[in-house]
């Protein structure tokens, strides 16, 4: 046995022949940039979310999607945006890129999602937006969040990077707020290598995100190289270079077509883990809430050293030693030196996110995993974590 080739990589994408063929066809077509495949991917994604074709815009990352959404929402510079401390840095960085002020509201310890009561408590006269993250694929409490937004006249921008399959009371996440932002990064549930999608309630605002995502060039610029011939364009504002390529869409198209099949597979792995780890001195993910569909993006277990006898970091190292890759989602935002220095934040101010961030371990959960891979993860966890 060769340990190096046997290492189970965390978050390895499932790439099949359909997308490989599509990428090759795209290369052979000679049209690599934003073109017909991006248009098809947008149309398919709109259908997936049950929105109109003019309510989506493909970009090159979820970070870009969040950034231009906040700009298109026309929030005045320096206004406050409330988000969760238990998220990837991109959520907070996008707020900063948009010239806005991030304000953190602690999470619910069970759901790990932003706590609506903490949002209410964080509202000031300068608050203009709420940026909830559907963490690990679990939908946030959108009834409560939308009620707060209506009461205080706030924009809602949903970070759906983990949650392309998630629904809340039958409605896809990303369609509650003014904007929903999705990621097609390699470890996400639908993979395009890099990529993002904006879903918007308002077609004019989506049109604005398109302009912002392509140098601030007028709408027709997207089609300026089409077979209808050259068209002049106008630069309307100083935009960004955030467009998606057809090569990315070639991957995304077929990944999206398998989104339900892959979700079923991850749900099956999830249940195997739930059963296998029920007797261990660790905390397993909370049961999904009734009348919601959990995106099943991350299977996170909590290692409390006082209960488990070993630390979280020991578990991370021991899992690597036995050949299983793991992840940490996430050390809370105020654990990072940049935010500490810029805002004077300390992790203790958001104690629930701090505790979760210091105890959490994500186990491999990809549709590409075989039954044998699942067994290996289960055996590894049982080997590393002593039973009670
Ligand atoms: C991955 C991720 C992002 C950023 O996505 P990119 O497409 O890599 O820019 C944003 N928010 C969360 C919660 C993420 O996990």
């Amino acid at each position: 046995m060769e340990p190096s080739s046997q290492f189970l990589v965390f978050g390895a994408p499932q790439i099949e022949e359909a997308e490989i063929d599509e990428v090759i066809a795209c290369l052979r077509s000679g049209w690599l940039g934003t073109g017909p495949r991006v248009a098809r991917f947008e149309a398919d994604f709109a259908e997936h979310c049950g929105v109109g074709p003019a309510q989506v815009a493909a970009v090159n990352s979820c970070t870009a999607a969040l950034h231009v959404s906040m700009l298109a929402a026309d929030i005045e510079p320096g206004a406050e945006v409330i988000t969760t401390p238990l998220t990837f840095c991109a959520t907070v960085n996008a707020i900063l890129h948009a010239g806005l002020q991030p304000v953190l509201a602690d999470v619910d310890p069970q759901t790990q999602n932003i706590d609506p009561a903490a949002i209410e408590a964080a509202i000031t006269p300068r608050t203009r937006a709420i940026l909830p993250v559907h963490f690990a694929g679990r939908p946030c409490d959108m009834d409560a969040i939308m009620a707060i937004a209506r009461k205080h006249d706030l924009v809602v921008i949903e970070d759906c990077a983990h949650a392309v399959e998630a629904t809340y009371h039958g409605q896809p996440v990303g369609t509650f707020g003014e904007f929903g932002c999705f990621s097609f990064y390699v470890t996400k549930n639908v993979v395009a290598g890099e990529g993002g999608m904006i879903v918007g309630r308002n077609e004019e605002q989506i049109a604005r995100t398109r302009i912002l995502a392509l140098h601030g060039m007028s709408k027709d610029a997207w089609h300026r190289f089409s077979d209808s011939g050259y068209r002049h364009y106008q630069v309307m504002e100083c935009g960004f270079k955030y467009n998606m390529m057809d090569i990315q869409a070639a991957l995304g198209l077929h990944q999206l077509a398998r989104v339900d099949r892959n979700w079923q597979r991850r749900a099956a792995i999830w249940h195997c883990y739930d059963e296998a780890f029920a007797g261990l001195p660790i905390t397993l993910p909370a049961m999904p809430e009734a009348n919601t569909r959990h995106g099943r993006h991350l299977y996170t277990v909590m290692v409390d050293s006082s209960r488990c006898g070993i630390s979280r970091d020991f578990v991370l190292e021991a899992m690597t030693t036995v050949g299983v890759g793991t992840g940490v989602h996430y050390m809370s935002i105020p654990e990072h030196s940049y935010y500490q220095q810029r805002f004077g934040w300390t992790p203790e101010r958001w104690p629930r996110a701090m505790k979760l961030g210091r105890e959490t371990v994500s186990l491999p959960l990809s549709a590409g995993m075989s039954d044998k891979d699942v067994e290996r993860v289960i055996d590894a966890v049982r080997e590393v974590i002593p039973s009670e």
Side-chain angles (χ1 to χ4, degrees):
M1 193 167 101
E2 287 169 42
S4 58
S5 65
Q6 288 290 312
F7 192 83
L8 189 68
V9 175
F10 180 87
Q14 178 217 48
I15 303 296
E16 294 198 345
E17 290 307 312
E19 52 264 41
I20 292 171
D21 291 346
E22 190 78 39
V23 168
I24 291 169
C26 175
L27 292 172
R28 290 198 196 289
S29 78
W31 193 302
L32 314 188
T34 308
R37 286 181 172 84
V38 169
R40 242 171 77 203
F41 187 41
E42 287 177 332
D44 289 1
F45 202 85
E47 201 181 314
H48 170 79
C49 294
V51 300
Q55 284 179 274
V56 300
V59 288
N60 62 6
S61 72
C62 181
T63 310
L66 291 165
H67 179 191
V68 293
S69 292
M70 274 180 275
L71 295 179
D74 265 332
I75 304 168
E76 75 266 23
E80 293 174 1
V81 180
I82 297 174
T83 193
T84 169
L86 196 69
T87 186
F88 186 53
C89 60
T91 313
V92 173
N93 289 350
I95 296 171
L96 295 170
H97 294 326
L100 304 170
Q101 180 77 16
V103 171
L104 304 179
D106 211 351
V107 295
D108 176 292
Q110 258 77 49
T111 68
Q112 306 190 29
N113 276 329
I114 194 165
D115 178 358
I119 295 176
E120 282 263 29
I123 288 173
T124 76
R126 294 177 303 282
T127 308
R128 292 293 175 273
I130 308 172
L131 207 171
V133 178
H134 303 288
F135 182 81
R138 184 185 181 103
C140 290
D141 184 348
M142 291 315 292
D143 278 351
I145 290 171
M146 295 313 293
I148 294 168
R150 275 191 300 273
K151 183 171 151 200
H152 298 275
D153 195 20
L154 305 176
V155 173
V156 173
I157 296 162
E158 299 171 67
D159 182 335
C160 307
H162 299 176
V164 68
E165 309 87 348
T167 63
Y168 176 85
H169 300 177
Q171 185 179 335
V173 303
T175 64
F176 288 85
E178 274 77 0
F179 295 101
C181 300
F182 295 82
S183 175
F184 310 119
Y185 176 65
V186 279
T187 59
K188 304 291 159 78
N189 294 351
V190 167
V191 169
E194 298 283 0
M197 191 73 76
I198 308 167
V199 173
R201 196 189 289 160
N202 178 305
E203 292 185 5
E204 275 167 36
Q205 281 186 329
I206 280 291
R208 174 98 195 285
T209 65
R210 286 179 177 281
I211 292 169
L212 284 163
L214 195 66
H215 305 297
M217 284 154 58
S218 55
K219 207 162 106 195
D220 279 358
W222 286 82
H223 308 293
R224 76 188 193 279
F225 299 122
S226 71
D227 48 17
S228 61
Y230 187 85
R231 289 198 217 157
H232 289 292
Y233 58 86
Q234 280 288 309
V235 176
M236 333 267 290
E237 58 186 311
C238 180
F240 302 86
K241 177 64 170 133
Y242 284 165
N243 57 304
M244 180 185 279
M245 296 178 77
D246 264 21
I247 300 177
Q248 295 167 293
L251 286 163
L253 275 169
H254 295 277
Q255 291 267 321
L256 185 62
R258 288 202 306 277
V259 70
D260 283 312
R261 200 183 94 194
N262 288 351
W263 180 85
Q264 301 280 357
R265 174 62 184 155
R266 292 196 313 279
I269 297 171
W270 189 290
H271 290 126
C272 289
Y273 287 170
D274 271 353
E275 264 182 34
F277 306 142
L280 295 179
I282 53 177
T283 307
L284 304 183
M287 290 285 287
E289 206 177 302
N291 201 10
T292 67
R293 190 192 206 211
H294 192 301
R296 314 269 189 194
H297 176 57
L298 297 171
Y299 191 91
T300 63
V301 302
M302 298 299 143
V303 179
D304 175 351
S305 58
S306 64
R307 180 177 164 207
C308 207
I310 53 177
S311 72
R312 187 275 305 276
D313 285 359
F314 179 89
V315 171
L316 296 176
E317 290 214 0
M319 291 293 287
T320 306
T321 305
V322 298
V324 172
T326 52
V328 171
H329 301 90
Y330 299 91
M331 291 298 285
S332 75
I333 289 292
E335 299 272 11
H336 298 283
S337 55
Y338 176 76
Y339 309 108
Q340 290 174 2
Q341 282 156 21
R342 178 156 174 187
F343 301 114
W345 290 347
T346 55
E348 289 75 15
R349 271 177 64 192
W350 297 273
R352 297 170 187 163
M354 178 185 76
K355 182 171 159 59
L356 291 168
R358 290 179 181 182
E359 295 183 355
T360 189
V361 177
S362 300
L363 300 177
L365 179 72
S366 333
M369 287 168 69
S370 65
D371 289 348
K372 231 174 146 197
D373 293 334
V374 177
E375 279 302 310
R376 275 187 58 200
V377 175
I378 290 172
D379 289 347
V381 170
R382 286 188 176 140
E383 198 179 320
V384 167
I385 297 178
S387 44
E388 267 170 318

Coordinates of all heavy atoms in Angstrom, one line a residue, residues 8-15 262 265-266 268-270 272-273 299 324-325 363-378:
L8 N -7.0 10.3 1.3 CA -8.3 10.8 0.9 C -8.4 12.3 1.0 O -8.4 12.8 2.1 CB -9.4 10.1 1.8 CG -10.8 10.2 1.3 CD1 -11.1 9.5 0.0 CD2 -11.7 9.7 2.4
V9 N -8.4 12.9 -0.2 CA -8.3 14.4 -0.2 C -9.7 15.0 0.2 O -10.7 14.5 -0.3 CB -7.9 14.9 -1.6 CG1 -8.0 16.4 -1.7 CG2 -6.5 14.4 -2.0
F10 N -9.6 16.0 1.1 CA -10.9 16.6 1.6 C -11.4 17.4 0.4 O -10.7 18.2 -0.2 CB -10.6 17.5 2.8 CG -11.9 18.2 3.2 CD1 -12.8 17.6 4.1 CD2 -12.2 19.4 2.8 CE1 -13.9 18.2 4.5 CE2 -13.4 20.1 3.2 CZ -14.2 19.4 4.0
G11 N -12.7 17.3 0.1 CA -13.4 18.2 -0.8 C -13.0 17.9 -2.3 O -13.2 18.8 -3.1
A12 N -12.5 16.7 -2.6 CA -12.2 16.4 -4.0 C -13.4 16.5 -4.8 O -14.4 15.9 -4.5 CB -11.5 15.0 -4.1
P13 N -13.3 17.2 -6.0 CA -14.5 17.3 -6.8 C -14.8 16.0 -7.6 O -13.9 15.2 -7.8 CB -14.1 18.4 -7.8 CG -12.7 18.4 -7.9 CD -12.2 17.9 -6.5
Q14 N -16.0 15.8 -8.0 CA -16.4 14.7 -8.8 C -16.5 15.2 -10.2 O -17.4 15.9 -10.6 CB -17.8 14.1 -8.3 CG -18.3 13.0 -9.1 CD -19.8 13.0 -9.2 OE1 -20.4 14.1 -9.6 NE2 -20.5 11.9 -8.9
I15 N -15.5 14.8 -11.0 CA -15.5 15.2 -12.4 C -15.8 14.0 -13.3 O -15.1 13.0 -13.2 CB -14.1 15.8 -12.8 CG1 -13.7 17.0 -11.9 CG2 -14.1 16.2 -14.3 CD1 -14.7 18.2 -12.0
N262 N -26.1 14.1 -6.8 CA -25.0 14.3 -5.9 C -25.4 14.6 -4.5 O -24.8 14.1 -3.5 CB -24.0 15.4 -6.4 CG -23.2 14.9 -7.6 OD1 -23.3 13.7 -8.0 ND2 -22.5 15.9 -8.2
R265 N -26.4 11.4 -2.9 CA -25.3 10.6 -2.4 C -24.7 11.2 -1.1 O -24.4 10.4 -0.2 CB -24.2 10.6 -3.6 CG -22.9 10.0 -3.2 CD -23.0 8.5 -2.9 NE -21.8 7.9 -2.5 CZ -21.6 6.8 -1.7 NH1 -22.7 6.2 -1.3 NH2 -20.5 6.4 -1.4
R266 N -24.5 12.5 -1.1 CA -24.0 13.1 0.2 C -24.9 12.9 1.3 O -24.5 12.7 2.5 CB -23.7 14.6 0.0 CG -22.6 14.9 -1.0 CD -22.1 16.3 -0.8 NE -23.1 17.3 -0.8 CZ -23.8 17.8 -1.9 NH1 -23.4 17.4 -3.1 NH2 -24.8 18.6 -1.7
A268 N -26.8 10.3 1.8 CA -26.6 8.9 2.2 C -25.3 8.7 3.0 O -25.3 8.1 4.1 CB -26.5 8.0 1.0
I269 N -24.2 9.4 2.6 CA -23.0 9.4 3.4 C -23.2 10.0 4.8 O -22.8 9.5 5.8 CB -21.8 10.1 2.6 CG1 -21.5 9.5 1.3 CG2 -20.6 10.2 3.5 CD1 -20.6 10.2 0.4
W270 N -23.9 11.1 4.8 CA -24.3 11.8 6.0 C -24.9 10.8 7.0 O -24.6 10.8 8.2 CB -25.2 13.0 5.6 CG -25.5 13.9 6.7 CD1 -26.3 13.7 7.8 CD2 -25.1 15.3 6.8 NE1 -26.4 14.9 8.6 CE2 -25.7 15.9 8.0 CE3 -24.3 16.1 6.0 CZ2 -25.5 17.2 8.3 CZ3 -24.2 17.5 6.3 CH2 -24.7 18.0 7.5
C272 N -24.8 7.6 7.0 CA -23.8 6.6 7.5 C -23.0 7.1 8.6 O -22.7 6.4 9.6 CB -22.8 6.2 6.3 SG -23.6 5.2 5.0
Y273 N -22.5 8.4 8.5 CA -21.7 9.0 9.5 C -22.5 9.1 10.8 O -22.1 8.8 11.9 CB -21.3 10.4 9.1 CG -20.1 10.4 8.1 CD1 -19.8 11.6 7.4 CD2 -19.4 9.3 7.7 CE1 -18.8 11.7 6.5 CE2 -18.4 9.4 6.8 CZ -18.1 10.6 6.1 OH -17.1 10.6 5.2
Y299 N -20.1 18.1 6.7 CA -20.4 17.3 7.9 C -19.4 17.7 8.9 O -18.2 17.3 8.9 CB -20.3 15.8 7.5 CG -20.9 15.0 8.6 CD1 -22.2 14.6 8.6 CD2 -20.1 14.5 9.7 CE1 -22.8 13.8 9.7 CE2 -20.6 13.8 10.7 CZ -22.0 13.4 10.7 OH -22.5 12.7 11.7
V324 N -6.6 10.5 6.0 CA -7.9 11.1 5.7 C -7.8 12.6 5.9 O -7.5 13.1 6.9 CB -9.0 10.6 6.6 CG1 -10.3 11.3 6.4 CG2 -9.2 9.1 6.3
G325 N -8.1 13.4 4.8 CA -8.0 14.8 4.8 C -9.3 15.4 5.5 O -10.4 14.8 5.4
L363 N -15.5 16.5 8.1 CA -15.1 15.2 7.5 C -15.3 15.2 6.0 O -16.2 15.9 5.5 CB -15.8 14.0 8.2 CG -15.6 13.9 9.7 CD1 -16.5 12.8 10.3 CD2 -14.2 13.7 10.0
P364 N -14.6 14.4 5.2 CA -14.9 14.3 3.8 C -16.3 14.0 3.5 O -16.9 13.1 4.1 CB -13.9 13.2 3.3 CG -12.9 13.1 4.3 CD -13.5 13.5 5.6
L365 N -16.9 14.7 2.6 CA -18.3 14.5 2.2 C -18.5 14.9 0.7 O -18.9 16.1 0.4 CB -19.2 15.4 3.1 CG -20.7 15.3 2.8 CD1 -21.3 13.9 3.3 CD2 -21.5 16.4 3.5
S366 N -18.1 14.1 -0.2 CA -18.2 14.4 -1.6 C -18.9 13.3 -2.3 O -18.8 12.1 -2.0 CB -16.9 14.6 -2.3 OG -15.9 15.0 -1.4
A367 N -19.7 13.7 -3.3 CA -20.4 12.7 -4.1 C -19.5 11.7 -4.8 O -19.9 10.6 -5.1 CB -21.3 13.4 -5.1
G368 N -18.3 12.1 -5.0 CA -17.3 11.2 -5.7 C -16.8 10.1 -4.8 O -16.1 9.2 -5.2
M369 N -17.1 10.1 -3.5 CA -16.6 9.1 -2.6 C -17.3 7.8 -2.8 O -18.5 7.7 -2.9 CB -16.8 9.6 -1.1 CG -15.8 10.7 -0.7 SD -16.3 11.4 0.9 CE -16.0 10.0 2.0
S370 N -16.4 6.7 -2.8 CA -17.0 5.4 -2.9 C -17.4 4.9 -1.5 O -17.1 5.5 -0.5 CB -15.9 4.4 -3.5 OG -14.9 4.3 -2.5
D371 N -18.1 3.8 -1.5 CA -18.5 3.2 -0.2 C -17.3 2.8 0.6 O -17.2 3.0 1.8 CB -19.3 1.9 -0.4 CG -20.7 2.2 -0.9 OD1 -21.1 3.4 -0.9 OD2 -21.4 1.2 -1.4
K372 N -16.2 2.4 -0.1 CA -15.0 2.1 0.6 C -14.3 3.4 1.2 O -13.8 3.3 2.3 CB -14.0 1.5 -0.4 CG -13.4 0.2 0.1 CD -12.5 -0.5 -0.9 CE -11.5 -1.2 -0.1 NZ -10.3 -1.6 -0.9
D373 N -14.4 4.5 0.5 CA -13.9 5.7 1.1 C -14.7 6.1 2.3 O -14.1 6.5 3.3 CB -14.1 6.9 0.1 CG -13.2 6.7 -1.2 OD1 -12.1 6.1 -1.1 OD2 -13.6 7.3 -2.2
V374 N -16.0 5.9 2.3 CA -16.8 6.2 3.5 C -16.4 5.3 4.7 O -16.2 5.8 5.8 CB -18.3 6.0 3.2 CG1 -19.2 6.3 4.4 CG2 -18.7 7.0 2.0
E375 N -16.2 4.0 4.4 CA -15.7 3.1 5.4 C -14.4 3.6 6.0 O -14.2 3.5 7.2 CB -15.5 1.7 4.8 CG -16.8 0.9 4.7 CD -17.5 0.7 6.0 OE1 -16.8 0.3 7.0 OE2 -18.7 1.0 6.1
R376 N -13.5 4.0 5.1 CA -12.2 4.5 5.6 C -12.3 5.7 6.5 O -11.6 5.8 7.5 CB -11.3 4.9 4.4 CG -10.6 3.7 3.7 CD -9.6 4.2 2.7 NE -8.7 5.1 3.2 CZ -8.0 6.0 2.5 NH1 -8.1 6.0 1.2 NH2 -7.1 6.8 3.1
V377 N -13.2 6.6 6.2 CA -13.4 7.8 7.1 C -13.9 7.3 8.4 O -13.4 7.7 9.5 CB -14.3 8.8 6.4 CG1 -14.6 9.9 7.4 CG2 -13.8 9.3 5.1
I378 N -14.9 6.4 8.4 CA -15.5 5.9 9.6 C -14.4 5.2 10.5 O -14.3 5.4 11.7 CB -16.7 5.0 9.3 CG1 -17.9 5.8 8.7 CG2 -17.1 4.2 10.5 CD1 -19.0 5.0 8.2

